[in-house]
Amino acid sequence: MTTPVRTDLAPYRVAVAELPASAVASRDGDGAVAVVAGVRAWWQAAADASAGGAAAVVVAQPAAAPVEALDALASVADATPVVLERPLLRADVVAAIGGAFEGVPAAGALAVECHAPDLTLAVALRDAIGWARVLAGGPLTLRAGESWGGRVLGLLETEHGAAVSIVAAPQPGAPSLGRVRITTIAEVRVEVDADLDTAVVITDAAGRSILPARFESSERVALRRAITAVRTAERPFDLADLRHDTALAEALLSAPTA
């Protein structure tokens, strides 16, 4: 059985062609997985797709969005699964780390660094916070922050009381999407390095291991997740996670200079 997919984006057309057993291109958005470009007011485009009868909505590489806009989208698309393609925070890598972390005590501290061109720093910082949330195993709370000239220095706290330090800055020579590095300080150390690709290194008492490289495109991962959500009627937590990450990024970027 194939699920119809409505998209005008070339990478997603390729993804549809690569999934002939589960996806088929469609010109009609009603009852289909609708793919929305994550540019400008993408949240409104996603809401329109949901209101137009889309079975699920995929947002391709969502740009920074105000928290209020995310809340409005969540209320409009309440019954429609929304999947977000976040290349710096790939869902398949998150799932792989979750499997490797099963039964491991929470980290005592995390160090987060990110840099990006000025135009994408907010997105890179948002996704860096997303990685901290993933590795901390739950939501984070802002304890202190400073921002000056686009540079950010922050201290977050996990629900277990662990400290999360964040350093972020604009850099013209950084990858277009930015680069994120996260290190956990714990019995089992995890190091994540995400830019155009994502590398994960896990060090424990048994030694040092590197998670296998991912060769599937982030577009195809997002499309597979949306199709699964339609078929199983399970709601992904992408919007709620994005709201959490966005709220903290906004707070850090607007923090006063000491």
Side-chain angles (χ1 to χ4, degrees):
M1 180 180 71
T2 57
T3 299
V5 179
R6 170 72 177 88
T7 180
D8 295 323
L9 303 178
Y12 277 89
R13 289 178 178 172
V14 172
V16 171
E18 291 176 342
L19 297 169
S22 57
V24 61
S26 173
R27 295 183 179 180
D28 187 4
D30 188 13
V33 172
V35 181
V36 172
V39 296
R40 296 183 290 278
W42 60 261
W43 50 90
Q44 187 58 57
D48 291 344
S50 175
V57 177
V58 175
V59 182
Q61 300 188 21
V67 167
E68 296 78 8
L70 298 178
D71 288 339
L73 173 58
S75 65
V76 170
D78 181 57
T80 307
V82 177
V83 171
L84 305 174
E85 180 210 347
R86 298 169 69 175
L88 289 182
L89 185 61
R90 289 178 55 123
D92 54 343
V93 181
V94 168
I97 289 179
F101 253 137
E102 195 168 349
V104 174
L110 296 91
V112 180
E113 307 166 82
C114 79
H115 64 181
D118 282 302
L119 290 176
T120 55
L121 181 63
V123 173
L125 176 59
R126 178 197 72 191
D127 291 352
I129 292 170
W131 267 118
R133 167 180 49 78
V134 168
L135 295 178
L140 307 172
T141 302
L142 178 63
R143 292 306 181 198
E146 294 181 24
S147 176
W148 63 100
R151 292 166 292 180
V152 168
L153 181 63
L155 176 65
L156 309 180
E157 187 177 51
T158 73
E159 57 187 357
H160 307 292
V164 180
S165 64
I166 294 186
V167 177
Q171 183 173 344
S176 59
L177 295 177
R179 186 176 186 184
V180 171
R181 288 188 290 266
I182 304 96
T183 303
T184 66
I185 302 171
E187 177 183 343
V188 177
R189 187 173 75 243
V190 179
E191 300 165 89
V192 176
D193 193 340
D195 46 35
L196 298 178
D197 297 305
T198 301
V200 180
V201 178
I202 300 176
T203 305
D204 58 17
R208 190 168 182 264
S209 60
I210 301 174
L211 292 189
R214 300 282 162 167
F215 297 104
E216 185 176 22
S217 70
S218 59
E219 292 87 1
R220 202 168 92 163
V221 171
L223 188 56
R224 283 197 300 101
R225 293 181 62 229
I227 291 171
T228 298
V230 171
R231 294 182 178 180
T232 63
E234 292 184 3
R235 294 287 306 280
F237 295 101
D238 293 33
L239 266 182
D241 289 342
L242 184 71
R243 188 198 187 285
H244 168 279
D245 304 341
T246 296
L248 289 174
E250 284 184 357
L252 284 170
L253 287 168
S254 62
T257 302

